[in-house]
Amino acid sequence: MSVSIPSLEDAKCIFLFGYNPSASHPIVSRRIVRAKEKGAKIIVADPRVIETARIADIYMQINNGCNIAFLNAFANAIVTENLHDKEFIAEHTNGFDEWWETIKDYTPESVQHITGIDPETMREAARMYATAESAVLGWGMGVAQQKQNVLTVHTLAAIACITHQIGKPNAGLAPVRGQNNVQGSCDMGMLPNFFPGYQKVTDPAMREKFAKAWGVPVEKLSDHEGYKLTDVGHNAEEGKVHAFYNFGEDPLQTEPDAQDLKRQLQGLDLLICQDIFMTQTCMIADVIFPGTSWGEHDGVFSASDRTFQRFTAAVPPKGECKHDWQIFSELSTRMGYPMHYEDTQEIWDEMRSLCPTFYGATYEKMAGVGHAQWPIPTIEHPGTPIMYLGGKFTTPDNRANLMAHDWEPPTELPDEEYPLILCTVREVGHYSCRSMTGNCRALSLLAEEPGEIHIHPDDAKARGIYDGELVRAFSRRGEAMSRAVVDERINKGTVYMTYQWWIGKCNNLTLHAVDPRSHTPEDKFSACQVEAIEDQVWAEQHMQELYTQLKNDLADLASAQDVEPTSQRQPQETRESVIV
Ligand SMILES: Nc1nc2c(c(=O)[nH]1)N[C@H]1C(S)=C(S)[C@@H](COP(=O)(O)OP(=O)(O)OC[C@H]3O[C@@H](n4cnc5c(=O)[nH]c(N)nc54)[C@H](O)[C@@H]3O)O[C@H]1N2
Ligand SMILES: Nc1nc2c(c(=O)[nH]1)N[C@H]1C(S)=C(S)[C@@H](COP(=O)(O)OP(=O)(O)OC[C@H]3O[C@@H](n4cnc5c(=O)[nH]c(N)nc54)[C@H](O)[C@@H]3O)O[C@H]1N2
Ligand SMILES: [Mo]
């Protein structure tokens, strides 16, 4: 994020594009409500009437999968109405004329059949955003989980640049991150192309620096980028990956086309899982390392807006559980590279000494409820709430490079056999793979298996589906049982599932297609079909049985003393075929 989350409250305009804060980040959502109370204009473009749409000055119910077409037309409307900031463009950006070559063809009228948005409404929104004293452009998974995701981010950034809604207070880009520390995992180099601090593994000077600090020959540090998570499955199948150390992730629940992925991971020579709960991926692992949870260890979280915050353990670890850093250190030591740290501060200080962007973020500064916001290059530095102030960008010439792209349709379009668009999102009561929230009684009262499938009234009627009934959803990849919620707030021809449910597992249905640059899966768009289930009594019972069986399997494995290797065990295929 170029802005800070608290500054959202003082923005004069907030434009949310494919982000549903009231379910995903209620605290951010509250700040948006405060901004509204202070007079900010709110614009929402989302294919669902999300909660924030209710307080929006302009809400646009876009067609699913139209992002670049919509944004190009939005940019077109800004420039044709002469609302772009010519001075800022001339002084702080490159490539406007070339950018316009692509954008000029995308009038709001010419793409209305793709976006579904009335041209005058789009123009009004473009005016509202471009002429605001300060505007924040926020987006989430509605952008990220699409085939053209990186290109869409280029487009969003260009819109902020041509309107000078970046590089000044209370204005800028707010791409939100997911988990409380997903930003931190990227900051700390848990990416296949970076060392900590966004220092490229392909840069010889960086390899030199880290090799020296770690006391290893430079050849020991790989000079090429690693695989991304979505490449692990097919690379295992092709024999390029033999072992997979899976740390804090439940890919068999959260990656697309989960059944195919399971088959691929079962072919590995070695699968290690390091988690704080038993998960479906742990169930097929050869080795499980039990870690400690956020309540049991110390550390630092980075928020979406680059803010580091320290947290401390509330209770000691139980049983055999160890802190993640201890597990890594012990493993490394046994593999011949002794690693000894006293505490997390020692690790943090080593990290700081190697990462110029983070150097000033000391534990002292973060004591109590203190925080440090990067870039923070020196101990005296106050941190950076707003990036690119004065239009100074982090490119070699300090200018933003404007990029424009043509829209392409999503990979798997609906057809006669699979006529519905499946869009998968999250819900407020449960969290990602649900290992952490699934066993909580209060939360299961709020929402329980097999989750919900939201379906438009016309589509429900055409299929004889009634609100609250269990239904069967299926695609070319697989199927799941879910509970129908007849919902007027979505586009006709689309259904929505959340990816939290184990029996109602939407990732049995989703397509494994990725953006070619980021390799992020297209979770927001695949083709499916939904059917009523005649015998509801049977369906309710069957669903309960499947759920009980799965919970028992997880519990058995968690309490097993001496578990035989998974390769000896029968593959648990039968449980996955959910319906009949
Ligand atoms: N309670 C709870 N909170 C969570 C999570 C959770 O599991 N539970 N998960 C966390 C994680 S990991 C993340 S990444 C964040 C994500 O938070 P969000 O970004 O809010 O995630 P989603 O709800 O998946 O998608 C956002 C919106 O994209 C819209 N959308 C779908 N298709 C399109 C499209 O074609 N174009 C546009 N413009 N929009 C589209 C959807 O309708 C949805 O409203 O939430 C985090 N917060
Ligand atoms: N269809 C569909 N699929 C999706 C999405 C979608 O919108 N639609 N969203 C995607 C997104 S944005 C995300 S981020 C992923 C999230 O998917 P995952 O990362 O797989 O899910 P999480 O529940 O966030 O966490 C993974 C595991 O980390 C464990 N864990 C928690 N704390 C610790 C710890 O301190 N140490 C260790 N070792 N383990 C810990 C939890 O118990 C959990 O099992 O799902 C993706 N999958
Ligand atoms: Mo996420």
Side-chain angles (χ1 to χ4, degrees):
M1 284 174 72
S2 78
V3 292
S4 294
I5 290 169
S7 74
L8 289 179
E9 288 185 21
D10 296 312
K12 297 285 184 252
C13 175
I14 297 174
F15 179 11
L16 296 189
F17 189 71
Y19 172 40
N20 180 21
S22 64
S24 306
H25 301 132
I27 306 291
V28 176
S29 182
R30 201 168 60 179
R31 293 197 187 273
I32 295 171
V33 173
R34 287 212 192 108
K36 171 82 182 179
E37 285 165 356
K38 289 187 186 178
K41 298 284 186 205
I42 311 284
I43 307 169
V44 172
D46 197 294
R48 283 191 302 170
V49 187
I50 56 170
E51 281 300 287
T52 314
R54 296 197 302 140
I55 60 162
D57 294 275
I58 299 178
Y59 167 64
M60 291 169 280
Q61 186 157 21
I62 56 175
N63 288 333
N64 298 61
C66 77
N67 284 351
I68 290 197
F70 175 95
L71 293 170
N72 283 357
F74 190 84
N76 181 295
I78 290 169
V79 176
T80 44
E81 297 208 9
N82 207 21
L83 302 173
H84 50 309
D85 185 329
K86 277 128 284 199
E87 205 181 302
F88 189 82
I89 293 170
E91 280 172 26
H92 301 288
T93 72
N94 295 318
F96 180 81
D97 292 341
E98 211 185 323
W99 175 85
W100 179 245
E101 273 307 299
T102 300
I103 301 295
K104 73 175 180 0
D105 298 329
Y106 285 80
T107 61
E109 286 77 11
S110 72
V111 292
Q112 189 177 356
H113 65 290
I114 303 171
T115 63
I117 299 306
D118 162 56
E120 197 33 53
T121 309
M122 185 177 310
R123 289 207 163 84
E124 207 187 317
R127 264 174 239 137
M128 193 176 271
Y129 172 82
T131 61
E133 191 188 313
S134 60
V136 172
L137 185 44
W139 70 88
M141 295 305 115
V143 167
Q145 294 170 343
Q146 305 274 3
K147 165 176 128 182
Q148 287 192 295
N149 65 9
V150 175
L151 307 185
T152 310
V153 173
H154 293 165
T155 311
L156 286 157
I159 288 174
C161 288
I162 61 149
T163 50
H164 189 187
Q165 294 295 12
I166 188 165
K168 61 183 188 186
N170 312 320
L173 301 175
V176 296
R177 308 303 307 250
Q179 293 103 326
N180 43 9
N181 204 25
V182 72
Q183 178 72 42
S185 68
C186 296
D187 292 352
M188 294 306 122
M190 289 195 61
L191 287 166
N193 50 340
F194 288 120
F195 290 118
Y198 304 96
Q199 304 178 85
K200 288 194 174 129
V201 298
T202 49
D203 180 343
M206 292 306 137
R207 287 204 304 281
E208 208 54 73
K209 176 168 93 171
F210 282 91
K212 198 165 159 237
W214 293 337
V216 293
V218 70
E219 311 80 63
K220 287 271 181 196
L221 301 186
S222 175
D223 60 359
H224 56 268
E225 296 178 3
Y227 295 128
K228 298 176 172 85
L229 176 61
T230 45
D231 297 324
V232 171
H234 65 85
N235 279 327
E237 189 159 31
E238 289 160 26
K240 291 186 199 153
V241 168
H242 299 273
F244 176 34
Y245 190 155
N246 173 55
F247 160 52
E249 187 90 15
D250 183 14
L252 293 191
Q253 177 63 26
T254 56
E255 287 300 299
D257 200 355
Q259 295 190 47
D260 202 40
L261 181 64
K262 181 174 182 183
R263 185 185 55 74
Q264 292 166 328
L265 296 188
Q266 277 173 328
L268 288 163
D269 296 341
L270 174 67
L271 174 60
I272 304 174
C273 279
Q274 183 165 322
D275 207 293
I276 61 171
F277 283 106
M278 195 52 69
T279 66
Q280 293 164 79
T281 314
C282 288
M283 285 178 85
I284 63 158
D286 299 287
V287 179
I288 300 170
F289 291 138
T292 52
S293 75
W294 53 268
E296 299 162 316
H297 54 227
D298 301 331
V300 177
F301 285 131
S302 333
S304 279
D305 66 358
R306 300 168 279 104
T307 303
F308 291 128
Q309 295 170 87
R310 247 186 90 185
F311 66 103
T312 48
V315 290
K318 276 188 176 174
E320 292 183 293
C321 298
K322 291 188 177 171
H323 303 316
D324 289 315
W325 64 268
Q326 289 174 327
I327 298 171
F328 290 129
S329 304
E330 287 186 28
L331 192 70
S332 174
T333 304
R334 286 179 211 190
M335 292 201 304
Y337 180 80
M339 218 187 244
H340 298 290
Y341 294 101
E342 281 302 310
D343 52 25
T344 58
Q345 179 162 8
E346 202 182 331
I347 300 170
W348 185 257
D349 287 340
E350 174 186 322
M351 185 286 297
R352 284 198 305 116
S353 73
L354 288 163
C355 300
T357 333
F358 307 148
Y359 184 73
T362 59
Y363 257 39
E364 291 71 34
K365 220 174 268 182
M366 297 185 284
V369 291
H371 67 270
Q373 199 168 5
W374 68 260
I376 182 159
T378 61
I379 305 282
E380 300 73 37
H381 198 283
T384 311
I386 313 159
M387 287 186 82
Y388 321 124
L389 262 184
K392 197 165 181 286
F393 294 97
T394 46
T395 46
D397 63 359
N398 295 133
R399 294 159 75 99
N401 298 314
L402 301 178
M403 288 181 270
H405 308 281
D406 284 311
W407 174 80
E408 283 173 28
T411 310
E412 189 185 49
L413 298 174
D415 55 20
E416 232 168 77
E417 206 180 342
Y418 298 100
L420 296 169
I421 295 167
L422 170 66
C423 181
T424 60
V425 293
R426 52 267 298 138
E427 61 186 77
V428 74
H430 285 278
Y431 198 79
S432 289
C433 81
R434 216 164 58 85
S435 64
M436 295 181 284
T437 52
N439 298 315
C440 175
R441 194 182 303 257
L443 294 176
S444 63
L445 287 175
L446 202 62
E448 194 37 291
E449 291 280 1
E452 295 172 350
I453 183 162
H454 286 237
I455 184 165
H456 189 274
D458 293 353
D459 297 319
K461 197 166 169 217
R463 289 165 178 75
I465 289 171
Y466 294 94
D467 194 66
E469 280 188 358
L470 291 175
V471 296
R472 175 176 174 257
F474 54 101
S475 76
R476 288 186 177 82
R477 274 76 50 191
E479 62 182 60
M481 190 191 274
S482 190
R483 198 175 297 284
V485 173
V486 178
D487 188 352
E488 282 173 348
R489 290 160 70 145
I490 61 176
N491 286 322
K492 191 176 166 198
T494 62
V495 291
Y496 285 73
M497 295 172 84
T498 63
Y499 72 107
Q500 274 68 33
W501 304 102
W502 304 342
I503 303 304
K505 194 199 272 190
C506 70
N507 279 325
N508 283 344
L509 279 71
T510 46
L511 175 76
H512 184 131
V514 298
D515 168 84
R517 294 156 192 82
S518 65
H519 293 215
T520 304
E522 208 176 1
D523 293 329
K524 290 287 179 274
F525 204 107
S526 50
C528 78
Q529 177 60 297
V530 180
E531 263 177 16
I533 300 177
E534 188 92 358
D535 189 343
Q536 286 292 308
V537 176
W538 169 84
E540 294 285 354
Q541 263 172 7
H542 187 53
M543 190 270 294
Q544 278 307 332
E545 279 163 20
L546 291 167
Y547 188 31
T548 307
Q549 175 73 43
L550 177 55
K551 280 197 291 193
N552 288 345
D553 286 353
L554 289 165
D556 285 351
L557 199 57
S559 54
Q561 288 299 313
D562 210 355
V563 185
E564 52 183 311
T566 321
S567 47
Q568 311 293 310
R569 242 179 292 135
Q570 287 295 312
Q572 284 129 344
E573 225 70 298
T574 41
R575 197 190 49 249
E576 294 273 10
S577 66
V578 171
I579 309 296
V580 265

